[in-house]
Amino acid sequence: MSYTPNDSESTFNVLQPTIVRIDRIVDESKTTKSFFFNGNIEYEPGQFIMLWIPGLDEKPFSISYHGKNFFGITAACKGRFTRKLHQMSVGDILGVRGPLGRPFTIQKGNACLIGGGVGMASLATLVDRLKRGMIIQGAKTASDVLFRDRTGFSGMTVYTEDGSAGEIGLPTKNLETIYKQFGVMTLYVCGPEPMTHAVFEFARRHGLPMQASLERYMKCGIGLCGQCSCDGLRMCLEGPVVDRETLETLSDFGRFARLKDGRKVAIEEYLQVRT
Amino acid sequence: MSYTPNDSESTFNVLQPTIVRIDRIVDESKTTKSFFFNGNIEYEPGQFIMLWIPGLDEKPFSISYHGKNFFGITAACKGRFTRKLHQMSVGDILGVRGPLGRPFTIQKGNACLIGGGVGMASLATLVDRLKRGMIIQGAKTASDVLFRDRTGFSGMTVYTEDGSAGEIGLPTKNLETIYKQFGVMTLYVCGPEPMTHAVFEFARRHGLPMQASLERYMKCGIGLCGQCSCDGLRMCLEGPVVDRETLETLSDFGRFARLKDGRKVAIEEYLQVRT
Amino acid sequence: MAAVDLSTELCGIKLRNPTVLASGILGTSNALLQMVAGAGVGAVTTKSISLDPMPGHNNPITVGFEAGLLNAVGYSNPGLHAAIEEFKNLEGMGVPVIASVIGRGVGEFIKVVEGLWSQGFAAIEISLSCPHTPGFGMMAGQSNPHYTRQVVAAVRRVTSIPIFVKLSPETPDIAKVAVAAEEAGADGITAVNTMGPGMVINIEARQPVLGFKMGGVSGPALRPIAVRCVYEIYKAVRIPIIGTGGVSTGRHAIEMLMAGATAVGIGTAVCISGLDVFSAVCREMEEWMEANNVSSVQELIGTAHELYPE
Amino acid sequence: MAAVDLSTELCGIKLRNPTVLASGILGTSNALLQMVAGAGVGAVTTKSISLDPMPGHNNPITVGFEAGLLNAVGYSNPGLHAAIEEFKNLEGMGVPVIASVIGRGVGEFIKVVEGLWSQGFAAIEISLSCPHTPGFGMMAGQSNPHYTRQVVAAVRRVTSIPIFVKLSPETPDIAKVAVAAEEAGADGITAVNTMGPGMVINIEARQPVLGFKMGGVSGPALRPIAVRCVYEIYKAVRIPIIGTGGVSTGRHAIEMLMAGATAVGIGTAVCISGLDVFSAVCREMEEWMEANNVSSVQELIGTAHELYPE
Ligand SMILES: Cc1cc2nc3c(=O)[nH]c(=O)nc-3n(C[C@H](O)[C@H](O)[C@H](O)COP(=O)(O)OP(=O)(O)OC[C@H]3O[C@@H](n4cnc5c(N)ncnc54)[C@H](O)[C@@H]3O)c2cc1C
Ligand SMILES: Cc1cc2nc3c(=O)[nH]c(=O)nc-3n(C[C@H](O)[C@H](O)[C@H](O)COP(=O)(O)OP(=O)(O)OC[C@H]3O[C@@H](n4cnc5c(N)ncnc54)[C@H](O)[C@@H]3O)c2cc1C
Ligand SMILES: Cc1cc2nc3c(=O)[nH]c(=O)nc-3n(C[C@H](O)[C@H](O)[C@H](O)COP(=O)(O)O)c2cc1C
Ligand SMILES: Cc1cc2nc3c(=O)[nH]c(=O)nc-3n(C[C@H](O)[C@H](O)[C@H](O)COP(=O)(O)O)c2cc1C
Ligand code: FES
Ligand code: FES
């Protein structure tokens, strides 16, 4: 990595935000919007960007749409930052730093993509890239389901907690059945950590290859501050995508995450905190 | 130009001295020694280097010997710096910054190289390069004459003030005769400014092309401090070699130079000051 | 859209564009200033002038490192008398000329300004901030509110042309010094001089490179510090600021303006990028302003202080 | 010639090589320190620990520029209680671990050191020098001789392990503060923390990038300033110095040693060059030392202070 020459507004880099203008906003679900920007960012599925609302804050997001001269992110409305984001309009500006982190490594053979909630955003460009494999989405209710009409997603299986769309239950519900039917497959996972952990136990049971994207609180995004650590790995640099073998070594996985001040708390507590 | 990475000791650059070790010392005359170093410096005849005696000072010198993996300078013993230099031994270290300044532009046709005193050092690599032309050297006495046995200098005409070697008088003495004999020629000149000025008047009279190296007090050597100015030109950057057309525009030429503190004094006074 | 207007105004001094040659770079003679004027600069500053001639420090007086330049020139200059001889017919320069003045004490400042100011200079710049010359600036503790107030008040009494005070980025509370200068009658602030001092040691020689061992740091390394200083000073005073430190592109100049500068000093970049830097910076500013629908420099000054999004 | 000996000793603490992970970089957990230890570092420093948990400033907490990095982390850390839980079994680390400690006042420093020191740390580093956190360091005026004396004397009474004091390059007379620390019982000095603060404004957004608007400058821009600070401190005290600021190569490390450092802190370069920076710096030092007939680090320390040629 080298220091950023502050001399160009048009190249994306990891040390300084580059300004983009919102080109188009799409409602993906009741609580989720996609924001589209012009610009050519080198991005591999599974990586992330830091999105800056000038004067407010900077937070990590996956790129959910990626083309030669545009890209988009899909954001759920959760707290202070995403609320502000959802209020923004076409023409408003945002800063983008990235691409950051390690992407999914695409494996040969059968693929099974399992996304929970807005974790689906991280898998979306992987769907575009793979052009094969099974897609499983878990959502709260029918009005939370993402990308139902998106090209490439026609075969997606949906699970909702209340059964208002697709099948009732968690997206991990039928994994054993699927395995019996299709045999060895690579699992690509992004979602709430309890879900990821359930997939992990399934994968370990059957010795299946698996890659999961883990969310940890991100600050610098470039491996400097140590904030995003999960055991001895920095999720902004050695993650957010890690493979099953690595997950096996992580004692924090599925159990602990660090708050903004670095305190290590139970993952359930972490997921509830608003900043 | 870009900032120096302080990461290598082996590449010469203009912003930071690179250390060289004295490889060989040769007595060129009673008052003049040549110092040889290992190293590959890109150098064109007429340019100069800043030579650093660590802890003491840094002063400008021409490169008088230049090969693929070595170079040398030839220094007269004048004041504090050159006295110290003359006391140094093989194995001692010095710093070199360069190459600096504008070199001679080699012209087709007849050439006449006129050097006065240690100004001959600046012309020496030009002799090596040109492999043609007349060489005229002016010196005080026989024991001051330089490069008499050097390859390529066999045809050199020598003038001494006391006639102890060569012809008696100044090296400009027979220029008219030479001109009558050989016609148009390019004059390459380096020596005390009164001598250079005499050549200049001769060249102007006959409309002859001329390039002269002017000495001004050098500090930064990179065009920053303005110390070395001769009228609006910085001799470290737009010089030290200037052509006749430029000399014609310089009202300071042959008349004024600036002391270390920037005071503009008569050239005769400048040449007498010891620092 | 209409052509971009790069002109700016420093307490009544009109500049065709916001670039200013910083003091100590090339400013030793009329002829050199003329050359810089010809390169498209907005205004020029002389090398700092003291009462008596000063030889300055021994060579090396500059040394580069991977992120900028160190210098320990040591305020070498021919002194007031020679400066009066040198800097004449300044109207012919085509751009405003600022006289940089230094002194070992209030008395010296007064004498130099008295001697110089009526030569046709557009303004006097009082430099209180060099970090590497014994008896002057930081090494004499001149960059504090009390001393600043004293000098400015004294100089104010002997000249009617605008007075700028040049501050050091090493001043613990730079805004306070700026306020003191303003209250004592200064018409503008130049921020900043070099920082540090710093030191570069040649490890083969095991010796500091500079003749004075340490020197002020300029260029890229200084830039964010200078921007912060300008930002803080802008919040505290109403007089204009010449933002100086590490500027080498149009984007850098615009950043300085947004921090609160009215004009932008350029020094080290003249050596690294050459004299073209002034016209290049102006061209890059114009391009950016056109692309971003900004038609004048005035619309940029201090805008980083406005809250975003609303 | 015989193999080069890179080992060094900091007031009794043996280091296999002079590289030290600087505070605030990766030092948030035992596991991360372990990873750095595995990368070949000589010693590691924890992220600074305060009495109470601190969330730190909002993002962005870092921003790069052409000559270095700005950060305004704001001392985010989980506080003393969590740190006691986190930093355990330090013997297993294989390298000495230094605990960096911060406080809003002498009382807080005492409490944190009392709580921490017997965890197996090799030393305590008292940081008086952060330029961007209200209540701490420079923003609380802690980097002066008087305060330094007070804190060090107080902490000295509650721990028997070595105490380092970390100073700011912005301290007007840094050598005086170092002397005060030494007189009050400090065993070493860490020089320096980040400089500035500086500011980077994004001109399209017209806003400072950092959440705290300004932040401390580290990396290449800081290096010559850090070298000068170490040089000045070395002249003034007899206790060892961890020279920190902008080091990213073996040549840089040797320069720090020659200025007077006994060990060399590395922070920003860990991010720019990766964790390999420690072993790369050591390899480059070895190569240079072999080529220059230097067989141990001891032969380099402070050598730039000796006059050349004789
Ligand atoms: C690698 C990665 C990729 C992500 N991709 C997406 C995406 O594509 N779409 C999407 O909607 N969300 C994504 N997120 C989560 C997103 O960053 C948070 O939803 C957002 O930061 C919430 O901010 P807030 O102020 O609105 O809510 P807050 O009230 O601040 O926080 C809500 C929750 O968001 C998480 N969060 C908040 N701040 C951060 C932070 N700085 N770093 C990491 N997590 C944080 C925490 O779990 C917190 O409990 C991703 C997170 C990571 C780590
Ligand atoms: C472009 C250029 C090329 C030169 N090449 C050679 C060369 O090849 N061989 C050689 O012997 N000499 C050369 N010189 C002159 C050389 O720099 C001086 O002889 C040397 O600096 C004297 O230093 P001192 O301390 O021994 O003497 P001092 O007592 O300091 O000065 C003696 C005279 O040297 C000149 N001088 C001193 N310092 C400087 C300086 N910093 N810059 C320029 N001139 C200075 C002045 O004319 C002074 O009157 C060159 C000068 C220039 C400008
Ligand atoms: C070689 C050199 C000489 C300088 N001399 C002076 C001086 O005489 N008076 C002064 O006020 N500032 C002097 N400065 C400081 C500059 O005017 C300027 O404030 C500083 O270098 C920061 O700007 P820059 O990064 O664009 O160079 C000097 C700087 C350099 C590099
Ligand atoms: C992101 C970051 C966080 C830092 N946090 C601390 C800290 O908590 N305590 C401290 O004493 N210094 C802290 N520092 C300063 C470093 O320890 C170091 O002194 C400084 O960065 C200079 O070294 P470098 O140029 O090698 O980074 C931090 C520096 C950075 C870049
Ligand atoms: S977010 Fe700072 S190390 Fe990962
Ligand atoms: S020696 Fe400084 S400009 Fe030429």
Side-chain angles (χ1 to χ4, degrees), chain D residues 62-306:
Chain D
T62 55
V63 60
F65 71 107
E66 63 275 23
L69 197 83
L70 271 67
N71 92 79
V73 173
Y75 276 147
S76 87
N77 82 93
L80 173 63
H81 184 73
I84 293 174
E85 283 304 301
E86 180 67 48
F87 298 111
K88 280 180 172 162
N89 308 316
L90 299 180
E91 310 72 35
M93 201 72 79
V95 298
V97 182
I98 302 168
S100 172
V101 167
I102 51 170
R104 251 172 299 239
V106 176
E108 284 194 9
F109 275 105
I110 294 179
K111 280 189 197 146
V112 178
V113 174
E114 274 179 342
L116 274 183
W117 76 271
S118 56
Q119 295 278 113
F121 289 108
I124 295 288
E125 181 173 280
I126 297 179
S127 186
L128 302 176
S129 41
C130 169
H132 60 258
T133 310
F136 294 86
M138 297 304 283
M139 290 191 77
Q142 295 182 341
S143 204
N144 65 54
H146 178 71
Y147 194 88
T148 303
R149 205 179 294 271
Q150 260 190 298
V151 174
V152 174
V155 169
R156 183 70 294 166
R157 281 192 290 273
V158 300
T159 179
S160 58
I161 63 172
I163 301 173
F164 275 74
V165 177
K166 183 157 182 189
L167 299 181
S168 164
E170 303 299 330
T171 316
D173 192 342
I174 198 166
K176 276 205 191 120
V177 187
V179 168
E182 181 179 41
E183 287 175 358
D187 302 280
I189 302 288
T190 304
V192 292
N193 211 312
T194 52
M195 70 177 172
M199 178 182 280
V200 170
I201 295 169
N202 181 293
I203 64 173
E204 278 79 27
R206 303 187 177 202
Q207 282 290 305
V209 173
L210 291 174
F212 190 61
K213 296 197 185 345
M214 36 194 89
V217 180
S218 62
L222 175 59
R223 202 166 67 76
I225 312 270
V227 169
R228 186 264 307 168
C229 289
V230 168
Y231 187 91
E232 290 194 338
I233 294 167
Y234 182 82
K235 274 201 295 198
V237 301
R238 304 173 67 94
I239 50 179
I241 306 163
I242 306 178
T244 308
V247 171
S248 71
T249 71
R251 292 185 67 84
H252 297 165
I254 291 167
E255 192 173 343
M256 275 290 183
L257 295 173
M258 287 183 173
T262 293
V264 178
I266 300 181
T268 305
V270 176
C271 158
I272 302 298
S273 320
L275 273 175
D276 292 343
V277 71
F278 298 106
S279 56
V281 163
C282 290
R283 194 182 56 247
E284 289 157 12
M285 287 183 74
E286 272 171 357
E287 283 166 8
W288 188 93
M289 287 164 73
E290 272 189 42
N292 289 272
N293 284 305
V294 176
S295 58
S296 80
V297 164
Q298 303 312 309
E299 295 168 41
L300 297 171
I301 298 170
T303 48
H305 293 261
E306 292 159 25

Side-chain angles (χ1 to χ4, degrees), chain C residues 65-68 70 169-170 172 195-208 213-214 217 220-225 227-229 231-232 235 246 248 250-252 254-256 258-259 288 292 294 299-300 303-308, chain D residues 65-68 70 169-170 172 195-208 213-214 217 220-225 227-229 231-232 235 246 248 250-252 254-256 258-259 288 292 294 299-300 303-308:
Chain C
F65 71 107
E66 64 275 23
L70 272 65
E170 303 299 331
M195 69 177 173
M199 179 182 279
V200 170
I201 295 169
N202 181 293
I203 65 173
E204 277 79 27
R206 301 185 180 205
Q207 282 290 304
K213 297 197 186 336
M214 34 194 90
V217 180
L222 176 59
R223 202 167 65 77
I225 311 271
V227 169
R228 186 263 306 167
C229 289
Y231 187 91
E232 289 194 338
K235 274 201 294 198
S248 71
R251 292 184 68 83
H252 297 165
I254 291 167
E255 192 173 343
M256 275 291 183
M258 287 182 173
W288 188 92
N292 289 270
V294 176
E299 294 166 42
L300 298 171
T303 47
H305 294 260
E306 292 159 24
L307 256 188
Y308 181 89
Chain D
F65 71 107
E66 63 275 23
L70 271 67
E170 303 299 330
M195 70 177 172
M199 178 182 280
V200 170
I201 295 169
N202 181 293
I203 64 173
E204 278 79 27
R206 303 187 177 202
Q207 282 290 305
K213 296 197 185 345
M214 36 194 89
V217 180
L222 175 59
R223 202 166 67 76
I225 312 270
V227 169
R228 186 264 307 168
C229 289
Y231 187 91
E232 290 194 338
K235 274 201 295 198
S248 71
R251 292 185 67 84
H252 297 165
I254 291 167
E255 192 173 343
M256 275 290 183
M258 287 183 173
W288 188 93
N292 289 272
V294 176
E299 295 168 41
L300 297 171
T303 48
H305 293 261
E306 292 159 25
L307 256 189
Y308 182 90

Side-chain angles (χ1 to χ4, degrees), chain B residues 217-228 234-237, chain C residues 26:
Chain B
Y217 199 96
M218 301 284 182
K219 287 188 169 174
C220 71
I222 48 175
L224 196 57
C225 70
Q227 163 67 41
C228 63
R234 292 161 288 180
M235 283 304 120
C236 69
L237 204 71
Chain C
L26 289 180

Side-chain angles (χ1 to χ4, degrees), chain B residues 28-32 114-120 136-148 156-172 190-192 195:
Chain B
E28 297 279 5
S29 79
K30 201 181 57 187
T31 52
T32 310
I114 309 168
V118 78
M120 210 55 219
I136 301 174
Q137 178 175 182
K140 278 225 157 62
T141 73
S143 56
D144 292 317
V145 177
L146 298 174
F147 309 135
R148 213 197 283 251
M156 176 167 66
T157 322
V158 170
Y159 294 80
T160 53
E161 292 180 18
D162 58 2
S164 54
E167 225 174 299
I168 191 165
L170 298 175
T172 44
C190 185
M195 180 200 96

